[in-house]
Amino acid sequence: MKKYIYIAFATLSVVSCKLDDNISPNDPGVEQVTPDLYLSAAQTSNYNVEVGDIFELSNVWMNNWAGNIYYFASPYSAEYQLQVTSAFARGNNFWNNSYTAMARYAAIYNNPQVDKYPHHAAIAKILMANSMQYIVDFYGDAPFSEAFKREANLTPKYDKGEDIYRNLVVMINEATQAIDNATPLFPVGTEDEIYAGDMEKWKKLANTIKLRILLRQSKVTDPTIRAFVQAQLQTLQTASFISEMDGDATINPGYNNSNAAQQNPLIRNYSYLIFDQSAINTNGYRLIDLSSHFAGLLNGTDPKTAGTPDTRRGRMYRAVGGTLRGITQGEGQIAGATEASFSRMGWKFYEVANGAIVENSNIDGYIMTVAESELLQAEAAELYPAIFTNAVGHYNQAVASSFRFFGVVPTQTNPTPVETYLTNLSTKPYGWNGADGHIAAIQYQRMIALHYVKPQETYVNYLKTGYPVTPLALTATQPNKPWRLVYPAREYNTNSANVPNVTQADVFVKNQFTPFWNRN
């Protein structure tokens, strides 16, 4: 494991927090930094990771996005060709930055003063589970039980993915119990950039993350794991989850346009303007076009959605000639076409009001949307009907929440946009009553609702379910999408005794290295 992961948080950035007056702000010891001073930096750095490389990679591999070949010579060439090795930059960045961010959560719940801050520790455990799940989902076995010990252990062992998953559920259970039973000497306050110390909302988010972790394991045949999953699902039968009444779980530590670093990183990475309306984002907005595959689904010209154009499409992407037009991944330039011939991102990435482009540096980030929560509940009711109910109701609410998210409201010509859309889509292959089934319908709505906030969730579920059917780029050099990523080269150089020897060939077949929940 990389040395800097274990020493980085000894000198944490606490730009949004105030150190105690008796502690030197230039060189605070780890034991002197109390949990409340870690929390904001932990939350914001973690969100930065979630909307970075893994976000963009998932949108490309889900064939939602294509590279702008009318400006760049060979955009997304490694992603299209599926060159997944230990040198793959996007995977390496995701691993390295995730562990650096998660170290801050560990610093909270392992803090010597944690007994005074049990609710801070609960939040840290919930968010650790939220992040560590995706390390297992994209890599399989990983350091966890011996990780985050800094110089005490620079070469931690790799735990089995199934053991990490179990421990994440246990951590969430500990967190919810602490919320219910512990009385903090120092309650959580505004240093919490997500809920400002509203612990009832934290319980709902914890329940929703726990449900996601358990549902991911629905295909596992091991009897011990199945028994644990069933027992833990039972504990959620009457639980409360993120809902429309509470709204989306968001984060905002004071994002603004004073400079690029102060922006919401989602906007900084992908919007038309980098900041203060002075620079076009060449490597974000200009790089990314809508793919022809996703355009066909949203336009209703793909057989899976035949005749049902998505009412949200004009909010999500910029129309060309009254429709969405996308680039086929891996295709060369089309004679007579230009950059302007294809649809680019809309929503908050390119928003126009009163004839001017809106600079959205200060918008909230999204930790979990209501649509994600409702789709999880729909999936739970579909897979475990003896425990959860009303799959179609949760599915319908997820779509309604997504329409609200994208700002699609009733009009004179379409007073019931959600109901009209659901009715028209219902019997198409990706509709609720369509030939491909309920899971396909849930996954299709997951792709639409989450691709601007958490596309990695859609990609991981695509690997599990096969839906939505997602074509390879024309330049792909492998027969299928990767089942996992390869550990970074730095792991093989610095922790060679522990890191599993995974090759590129292992990535494209199911074997002992495939994440445990997807080996069959």
Side-chain angles (χ1 to χ4, degrees), residues 369-388:
T369 62
V370 175
E372 180 182 356
S373 173
E374 293 290 349
L375 289 168
L376 286 168
Q377 293 175 75
E379 182 182 357
E382 187 66 24
L383 296 176
Y384 299 95
I387 303 175
F388 303 100

Side-chain angles (χ1 to χ4, degrees), residues 66-76 80 286-287 289 327-334 338-339 342:
N68 175 9
I69 56 174
Y70 297 89
Y71 184 82
F72 297 88
S74 54
Y76 293 133
Y80 288 173
R286 194 168 192 177
L287 169 64
D289 280 304
I327 291 176
T328 299
Q329 290 187 345
E331 186 177 58
Q333 292 186 6
I334 299 172
T338 67
E339 285 187 273
F342 301 94

Side-chain angles (χ1 to χ4, degrees), residues 12-14 16-20 23 29-43 103-125 184-193:
L12 277 180
S13 169
V14 287
S16 58
C17 305
K18 180 179 182 296
L19 289 174
D20 185 275
I23 299 173
V30 172
E31 69 281 355
Q32 294 175 292
V33 181
T34 54
D36 56 323
L37 298 180
Y38 278 104
L39 189 59
S40 175
Q43 292 174 333
R104 295 178 170 122
Y105 293 137
I108 293 173
Y109 58 73
N110 290 328
N111 192 280
Q113 302 184 57
V114 70
D115 288 347
K116 301 175 184 177
Y117 299 87
H119 288 178
H120 289 82
I123 292 172
K125 288 180 177 180
L185 181 61
F186 297 102
V188 181
T190 55
E191 70 274 15
D192 171 15
E193 308 291 0

Side-chain angles (χ1 to χ4, degrees), residues 4 17 25 35 50 53 152 156 180 182 185 195 208 212 218 261 280 283 299 310 313 329 347 384 391 481 496 519:
Y4 74 86
C17 305
E50 291 179 358
D53 286 274
D180 285 338
L185 181 61
Y195 284 135
T208 313
R212 188 184 69 208
S218 64
I280 296 175
N283 291 315
N299 286 331
D310 196 295
R313 63 180 177 152
Q329 290 187 345
W347 188 59
Y384 299 95
K481 301 289 175 71
S496 58
R519 289 177 187 160

Side-chain angles (χ1 to χ4, degrees), residues 304-372:
K304 296 293 188 180
T305 59
T308 307
D310 196 295
T311 319
R312 294 162 286 187
R313 63 180 177 152
R315 295 286 300 175
M316 294 187 291
Y317 291 93
R318 298 171 62 188
V320 176
T323 191
L324 300 186
R325 186 180 181 188
I327 291 176
T328 299
Q329 290 187 345
E331 186 177 58
Q333 292 186 6
I334 299 172
T338 67
E339 285 187 273
S341 302
F342 301 94
S343 297
R344 292 215 179 109
M345 294 183 292
W347 188 59
K348 301 297 182 180
F349 302 117
Y350 188 96
E351 185 176 14
V352 178
N354 300 319
I357 297 173
V358 180
E359 188 274 301
N360 282 313
S361 293
N362 63 348
I363 67 168
D364 292 341
Y366 292 88
I367 304 301
M368 180 176 288
T369 62
V370 175
E372 180 182 356

Side-chain angles (χ1 to χ4, degrees), residues 148-197:
F148 316 116
K149 295 181 184 294
R150 309 192 312 280
E151 64 275 5
N153 188 350
L154 300 178
T155 56
K157 72 174 183 178
Y158 275 61
D159 296 305
K160 291 185 177 296
E162 50 267 50
D163 294 337
I164 297 173
Y165 254 52
R166 177 184 286 260
N167 285 332
L168 297 182
V169 172
V170 171
M171 288 180 73
I172 291 176
N173 290 344
E174 291 172 348
T176 55
Q177 289 165 11
I179 291 171
D180 285 338
N181 302 320
T183 303
L185 181 61
F186 297 102
V188 181
T190 55
E191 70 274 15
D192 171 15
E193 308 291 0
I194 298 173
Y195 284 135

Side-chain angles (χ1 to χ4, degrees), residues 2 85-88 91-93 95-96 139 158 486-493 499:
K2 302 146 292 299
T85 68
S86 62
F88 186 47
N92 291 2
N93 291 341
W95 174 281
N96 296 340
Y139 290 96
Y158 275 61
V486 178
Y487 300 111
R490 193 162 183 171
E491 286 296 288
Y492 292 105
N493 293 333
V499 59

